[in-house]
Amino acid sequence: MSTPQGMTEADRRIVAVWAADCAERVLPLFESEAPDDDRARDAIARTRAFARGEITAAGEIRRRFVAGRAARSAVTPAGTAAARSAAQAAGVAHMGAHALGAAAYAARAVERAHPDAPDARAAEVRWQLAHLSPEAAAVLRALPPVGTDPAGPLGPGLLSSGPLGEVIREIQTHLSSG
């Protein structure tokens, strides 16, 4: 990879597990709205298969956008964010920094599903951090701060701004202090 956001394939396999965990946790928000659309669930399963070494990065690079298109089947912002979390998890095979995107979209899905619960997003981030393996934390710690490297998903753009950027900054702050 030409950017530090890419990681080695071994590192991407490590963070893929956590990305899949984050996305799977909010998957019911999408599936309740689009029960016949299996693209998000399939993306999570493929992410786990990639983590186990059962499928290659090359195959996933070609398929990584399929789950993102599933977001169009959602009817609420929470369902859309849940589908995008699965898409970001699938993107880890291509570039490891997408793991933070999977976490950010999952936290956003929870926040959107519980608009009257001001702590919903923070509680989801706490869960994510509690379920981050030491190996995955070490790999994620090596990523550049969100918004500073223009060559990948953490560069200027959707993941570095607004609520998604806030979640990623919170996770990166936690990682740098841990």
Side-chain angles (χ1 to χ4, degrees), residues 70-148:
R72 295 183 204 135
S73 297
V75 294
T76 67
T80 299
R84 288 182 178 153
S85 178
Q88 288 286 316
V92 170
H94 172 247
M95 192 166 281
H98 283 293
L100 291 173
Y105 271 112
R108 185 70 170 142
V110 169
E111 178 180 43
R112 295 296 201 124
H114 304 285
D116 297 329
D119 191 44
R121 183 175 86 185
E124 184 63 17
V125 172
R126 284 192 300 274
W127 181 91
Q128 294 170 351
L129 292 169
H131 289 83
L132 184 61
S133 73
E135 297 82 11
V139 171
L140 292 173
R141 198 173 287 119
L143 289 172
V146 65
T148 63

Side-chain angles (χ1 to χ4, degrees), residues 4-75:
Q5 294 182 51
M7 303 179 188
T8 67
E9 186 164 318
D11 288 344
R12 290 193 313 273
R13 290 185 191 283
I14 290 168
V15 299
V17 173
W18 180 69
D21 290 347
C22 292
E24 190 168 58
R25 186 163 153 87
V26 298
L27 182 62
L29 295 172
F30 172 74
E31 290 184 327
S32 68
E33 298 177 15
D36 296 327
D37 190 335
D38 66 351
R39 292 177 290 183
R41 178 170 293 283
D42 182 59
I44 294 167
R46 288 191 334 270
T47 302
R48 292 195 186 287
F50 171 75
R52 292 188 301 266
E54 296 168 3
I55 57 178
T56 66
E60 283 308 287
I61 287 170
R62 288 188 299 274
R63 296 203 58 203
R64 71 185 186 275
F65 298 113
V66 172
R69 290 190 292 272
R72 295 183 204 135
S73 297
V75 294

